Amino acid sequence: MGSLLSQLGLECGRKEVKEEERHLRANDREFNLSYEYADNAIKTSKYNIFTFLPLNLFEQFQRLANAYFLFLLCLQLIPEISSLSWFTTVVPLVLVLSMTMAKDGSDDINRHRCDRQVNNRKVEVLIDGELRSEKWMDVQVGDIIKLENNQFVTADLLLLSSSEPLNLIYIETAELDGETNLKVKQALTVTGELEDCIEKLANFNGEVRCEPPNNRLDKFTGTLTLKGEMYSLDNERVLLRGCTLRNTQWCFGLVVFGGPDTKLMQNCGKTTLKRTSIDRLMNVLVLSIFGFLAVMCLILAVGNGIWEYQEGSKFAAFLPKQEGVNAPFSAFLTFWSYVIILNTVVPISLYVSVEIIRLGNSFYIDWDRKMYYPKSDTPAEARTTTLNEELGQIKYIFSDKTGTLTQNIMTFNKCSINGKSYGELLDFSGQRVEINEKTEKVDFSWNNLADPKFCFHDHSLVEVVREGNPEVQAFFRLLALCHTVMPEEKKEGELYYQAQSPDEGALVTAARNFGFVFRSRTPESITVVEMGELVTYELLAVLDFNNVRKRMSVIVRSPEGKLTLYCKGADTIIFERLNPSCSKLKEVTTEHLNEYAGDGLRTLALAYKDIDPKYMEEWKLRHHEASTAMDEREEKLDALYEEIEKGLLLLGSTAVEDKLQDGVPQTIEQLSKADIKIWVLTGDKQETAENIGYSCNMLREEMTEVFIVSANTAEEVRKELQTARRKMRPDGPEEPTVTKSRSGLFCLLKTETVADEPVDGEYAMVINGHSLAFALEKDMEMELLRTACMCQTVICCRVTPLQKAQVVELVKKYKQAITLAIGDGANDVSMIKAAHIGVGISGQEGMQAVLSSDFSFAQFRYLQRLLLVHGRWSYLRMCKFLRYFFYKNFTFTFVHFWYGFFCGFSAQTVYDEWFITLYNLVYTALPVLALSLFDQDVNDRWSFQYPKLYAPGQLNQYFSKRAFVYTVLHSGYSSLVLFFIPWAAMYDTVRDDGKDIVDYQSFALLAQTCLLIAVSIQLGLDTHYWTSVNQFFLWGSLCVYFAVIFTMYSNGMFLIFTSSFPFIGTARNSLNQPNVWLTMLLTSILCVLPVVAYRFLRILLWPTVNDKVRYKVRQDKVLPPAPRRVQARRTSTRRSGYAFSHAQGYGDLVTSGRFLRWTPKSRPALFSQTDSPLAQTQPQFYRTINEGGEPPLSP
Amino acid sequence: MMASNYNAKEEDGHQPAAIGHGGAGTVKNKKPDNTAFKQQRLPAWQPILTAGTVLPAFFVIGLIFIPIGIGLFVTSNNIKELEVTSQLIVPCYNCSQSYSWNSTKPCTCSVPFSLDQPFESNVFMYYGLSNFYQNHRRYVKSRDDSQLNGDKASLKSPSKECEPYRTSDEKPIAPCGAIANSLFNDTLELYYIDPNGSRTAIPLVKKGIAWWTDKHVKFRNPGGNDNLTVVFQGTSKPVNWRKSVYELDPSDPDNNGFINEDFIVWMRTAALPTFRKLYRIIHKKPNMTPTLPLGRYILEVTYNYPVRSFEGRKRMILSTISWMGGKNPFLGIAYITVGSVCFFLGIVLLIIHHKYGNRNHSADIRS
């Protein structure tokens, strides 16, 4: 409701007219202002100093409970109705309102601070012919701004000119899409000519017409009109807010979209207030309680009507009727009087207590040392404090891959050269030694060009290289030559490789460290420092990688004139093309490859071949012919490549580790044991994603089948999905079983739930973005959902941020299960926001994900602690709290109901008014808080030991409508005991000195004391974890109760405030009576006895996992062994293919040198394809850029 | 299972933290404190319901409750109580039918009854009313405690709660309110009929029937006890009363005005519509003779209080008391019942436990 209000607030200030086209003119603020485009200031805060009080109060009173209490307060002002003093309502209400207000206020102050910080960043803006440093928020649409290296892009800009040749700039888009590799953007030549000439820029008056603000990161269409000529604009000319300028001294840009209109902000979506399912359930319950309350009041009101009619008129001699009040009217008044009295069924303190409990449990997350990552000094953080208990109910986890499961670091780990495997440490007995941080690293100091960050542990390899072993040298030479990496040497000897995929970088870096340093390249040559010697190879051809070939080769001529083809690629592909003489080596290498694959490494096979110069010349001619062929160019080239890549000689293989984050496979195993389904949604290629799937245990060799859905048309996708489903469940129904139900307040929400379908065996599904785009269409989503939910593991690759959110929404919509999304990059923001709970991995470069997440921590593995320990406990505590809270208040209230039958339905309270005021605030507040802050069924280690303990949360077992009904029945029983036992015990009796004991005041005291003792004992029964705080609060509260009644009923209080404390002497006179105490004992025992017996029987006959574990803990009396981390050795025979995660591209360029001859006019053809609907659904990977804008190579 | 507590050592803080210990003034890191509270490792007692605790508890409760119940029951049974319902007797029935608030002449009647056993020790005489809703909300609040406490301002202008018995003839009513207005004003006298037919009046003590706190703290006459007539000047008597508040017991200034004990007892409103209130005490005689020997008695009722209109019932009760108060067998029976049920439940649970108990706990838990 709060968000609704803020939306209204926002909408009011904005024009309702929808923008259809954006039209702006550079350097012409007046012209642009006429369109009233949003400026660059962003605002996420809700209130300002003046609106805070009214807005906040308004928001708070929108809350059902608060409004209800305001209403009660009004009722109490009517003397005919008022059955309680005003303070019984005002005190709690004021307390609650002020606490919430304080919290909201401090939250908003933080938001203000954040906004101010961003809005006040400085940027250079061209105003009136000079550059001025301005705040971000003062930047207007149409301004020209200057950005410098490593600066954040201020707004969405049209790139005008840059410091680099060809008007290129490099940007990092980590904040936007999570990809860390640099991307290239290029300005139009016509604007590029402006360079950094301020005068020219100031006179620049181009007009831009473009699409209205939208959230498509990968698309931009518009035109620039300059001096009467039109130029078309596309995504490549646009710099988006959130990117960072890299490797570029400066650039100028024209602001197209500012502030809320930027694609970044448009993508952020509106922050919807997340509510937990318990919250929603609570609202429903509160509403039904209102209904229940109305029914109770109605019964009592009717009773009152009858009483007034039958008895009241006769009793009028003693108690005259109020003027003008007849029986029906009296019943009407009584109805409202009882509404006031029975208001405690919806206690206002419920919401406050819930908030406090959540806050407390959030603090536990912040404080947890086991979720603190020392390396980056980041503790876990609960950024939203209102979702804790939902952490204990997660059914689906959606995870990003890069940066979340993996560290996005590739390391050269092992290699097999000429039949010998390197990279493994063996001790004297030949056993493998586990490599950890303390293991001694190989010293590369002999090589002054070595990368200091590279580490390797096997000394023998270095020795072999330095000895000059020809195979080993050839191996590394191949790695140094056969790739498409771009080097950058800023200072002499300080090499940086700009690789399209991290694995390629890892291989070239390995070669560099072992003495084969790739130094520089030109289109025709590659310069390598081989063991300290500068060697330049002539590059004759690059036979580039693609998905079908799964290999790449280069043909080089050494300074000695020897022609060699170097080839690296997927082992299966290479092995097919080997010279028969290598068969022995092939066998050994295969063995090694199996071993590497078993360790989850990505492998490549390396081979080479010497080429006859004559053949080469002839081949080159044909190659030229083929590459200029008009038709079937691809096929012709492929055939040529196939022809020359034959009869290769095997060199060996490499094993690169896509470093998983620590503990990922174990965490995933744990989570799947807890019945949590994990879906990986990644922008990566299918091969990469599959590979990671295997290495982190999500895909397993022993799975019955792994379905791969990668089709190009809707029909094919549907067919593949159906086939998969039928395979998993041959006898299953064709139509999904959908349960339609209504939920939410007033049952307005229609929900459809697709039932879980059981399958035999374990299945997994891999689906690519292409197919996903079709599958997410309205008519197919059900098919996708059914098939996917039958699988243990689902991996979606090549998905866009939007699709990530769509997948999450799909599951949310039809499964009615609690979802969690975890990711680290800005591309995960949408899904983090869409899921019930969003978790951000902090400590990585981009903070976008963390900022929009609900919880954040540094390592994926902390997720298991967050869910299995904190989540489970939070859920347990919240449910216990709610059950107990409703119990104690219902019991409290029902006693009034029973008393109604004995006091002429006159809305007379059973208890002292002060007791009614203080019952929830003082006497029972702290013990129940202690219960819900400290309780744990079993400690964290056992929680890990038995992940099954997590299941009750997923099934909503601890608190549901059913549990609520049980609670109500339980309190019904308790209240019967608590009223009728004192009633019967006190009937017509007297004190031990013959004086009165059944007077109203003594009876009230007896009833309230019985009640307090009974609910305290019940609390004790519910508490599983008795810390000293629990004890202190429980006993303390009882003591406080007795202290308070003796004080309030004392002579002093009566004499000072005569009318407020009429209960003088009641405590003294009745608490010294043995039968009063005997009555209390009896009521307590009677309240507790059936509960104990029932619970004991349940544990005995139908024990839950929880009971069993608790029993076991008690039996063993020891902690479970702290499990050791065991490196899971898979016995898998599956080998990863050529799993480079890059797109085809560089290779072509490297040889052609086309970028040098390139002119803008020749380009349009390249872009025609990007506008097909299919391409639009593809992730944003800047393929087109590679072809046009290659950085110039240093000679 | 193996993944739990991964790197527990490193991140749990068992290892001495390298940072912060080395030298003074080192960088303060964000590592959370290692306190039992923050790490949720507070030492705790974790009871669970096992056969070893539940079954003995049931038996013990059973074993304790049954004797207590028997004791209570016997005590209650030993209390002698006699109830006389006056309406049942013809003269009083006539009174009850004819009498109303407006009657000027009191109606008197006598009710004969007999005791079949002597009452030893002190005997308490109660009047009981049935169907009288002294606990009705509007009735309960219709009083002014400040006035009753002797506050002179309230005497002159009673609280609004007293309406419609706040003022009469433009004069404030003292004591105001519906409770005071409906004060029980029958006079009961008890006579013993000697076997020879002569009537002996039994001495009834009218003091010591109210709570000490009520008599001495809660109720006070305005301006102390001196000349109540003057003090109450300018006030009006409650409408239903025959005499003013300062005429309730003119013989004893310590029992007159607001501190009249009959009045105080009435003002302590009952919790339930059927109640009894202490009227008089018959003190034990110093010699060995019983307080009330067995034989015939006559209760003389001066009928002032109409109850017919609300179908109420008037009773006179004579009762001895015990350490647990008046006669009420409920507690005793309840204790015996609960004790037996406990014991029985204990046996049932024991049988169930023997039959099924071991099966479940030995079953392995899937981890």
Side-chain angles (χ1 to χ4, degrees), chain A residues 80 82 307-308 311 314-315 317-320 322 337 364 366-370 372 374 377 379 662 666 669-670 673 861-862 864 870 873 877 899 902-904 906-908 934 936-937 941 944-948 981 983-985 987-996 998-1003 1024-1027 1051 1054-1055 1058 1062 1064 1066 1068-1069 1074-1075 1078 1081-1082 1085 1089 1095-1097 1100-1101 1103 1108 1110-1112 1114 1123-1125, chain B residues 1-6 10-13 29-34 37-51 54 58 61 65 72 101 124 126 131-133 135-140 145-146 149 164-165 178 182 208-211 213 217-218 220 240 268-278 305-306 309-311 315 321-326 328 330-331 334-335 338 342 349 352-353 356-357 360-361 365-367:
Chain A
E80 281 76 28
S82 170
W307 188 89
E308 286 287 341
E311 314 264 335
K314 299 169 190 163
F315 199 58
F318 303 105
L319 182 64
Q322 288 158 291
S337 299
Y364 283 135
D366 294 348
W367 288 334
D368 197 335
R369 282 165 84 89
K370 287 176 186 158
Y372 165 80
D377 190 26
D662 287 329
Q666 293 89 333
E669 197 186 335
Q670 278 286 95
K673 271 187 197 160
R861 67 170 186 273
Y862 298 153
Q864 58 170 327
H870 288 287
W873 281 347
R877 289 168 183 171
Y899 190 56
F902 293 87
C903 66
S906 61
Q908 176 65 4
F934 297 110
Q936 26 183 291
D937 47 356
R941 288 213 182 159
F944 281 131
Q945 185 92 2
Y946 297 107
K948 274 274 174 267
I981 297 291
W983 174 80
Y987 188 80
D988 253 1
T989 191
V990 291
R991 277 161 59 91
D992 58 2
D993 56 3
K995 294 175 189 169
D996 229 346
V998 209
D999 62 300
Y1000 168 70
Q1001 295 183 341
S1002 304
F1003 188 77
H1024 284 164
Y1025 196 77
W1026 283 91
T1027 65
N1051 302 354
F1054 176 75
L1055 293 178
T1058 309
I1064 156 110
T1066 312
R1068 278 171 278 171
N1069 280 304
N1075 56 350
L1078 283 172
L1081 177 67
L1082 185 67
I1085 293 286
L1089 209 66
R1095 291 199 183 167
F1096 178 71
L1097 273 179
L1100 204 63
L1101 301 178
K1108 287 182 188 171
R1110 275 164 58 78
Y1111 188 77
K1112 193 174 162 58
R1114 192 177 176 90
R1124 310 213 125 236
R1125 183 196 181 200
Chain B
M1 190 189 298
M2 59 191 157
S4 60
N5 277 28
Y6 164 75
E10 174 200 331
E11 285 153 35
D12 198 22
N29 62 9
K30 295 184 197 151
K31 188 166 188 169
D33 302 331
N34 189 15
F37 168 63
K38 287 191 173 182
Q39 302 308 317
Q40 305 198 58
R41 286 193 313 244
L42 286 176
W45 171 54
Q46 292 171 269
I48 59 173
L49 295 177
T50 56
V54 173
F58 272 85
I61 290 174
F65 267 44
L72 285 171
W101 288 116
F124 295 81
Y126 299 91
N131 221 8
F132 191 103
Y133 285 85
N135 59 359
H136 194 282
R137 178 167 61 87
R138 282 190 288 120
Y139 186 84
V140 169
D145 279 319
S146 303
N149 195 231
Y165 298 115
S182 57
I209 55 174
W211 285 10
T213 45
V217 184
K218 197 171 182 180
R220 281 193 298 197
N240 286 350
R268 184 151 283 281
T269 55
L272 300 167
T274 299
F275 58 89
R276 59 169 74 166
K277 286 189 178 291
L278 188 54
Y305 203 69
S309 61
F310 59 92
E311 287 163 11
R315 297 170 293 159
I321 52 170
S322 69
W323 59 272
M324 57 155 288
N328 185 341
F330 172 79
L331 265 186
Y335 264 83
V338 171
C342 250
L349 291 180
I352 295 175
H353 175 67
Y356 303 101
N360 290 297
H361 286 307
I365 318 160
R366 277 185 308 149
S367 59

Side-chain angles (χ1 to χ4, degrees), chain A residues 802-821:
Chain A
L802 186 69
Q803 283 180 331
K804 287 186 178 185
Q806 281 176 333
V807 172
V808 174
E809 292 287 356
L810 179 68
V811 173
K812 257 172 85 174
K813 187 171 162 198
Y814 289 114
K815 280 294 178 184
Q816 308 301 329
I818 311 294
T819 55
L820 178 144

Side-chain angles (χ1 to χ4, degrees), chain A residues 608-632:
Chain A
Y608 75 102
K609 168 187 176 184
D610 289 326
I611 299 175
D612 180 46
K614 268 187 211 150
Y615 172 75
M616 185 63 208
E617 241 158 68
E618 181 248 351
W619 185 84
K620 253 203 122 172
L621 264 176
R622 283 197 286 147
H623 179 246
H624 181 73
E625 230 170 74
S627 59
T628 50
M630 290 312 284
D631 43 33
E632 294 182 343

Side-chain angles (χ1 to χ4, degrees), chain A residues 1074-1085:
Chain A
N1075 56 350
V1076 166
W1077 288 102
L1078 283 172
T1079 311
M1080 289 180 197
L1081 177 67
L1082 185 67
T1083 50
S1084 313
I1085 293 286

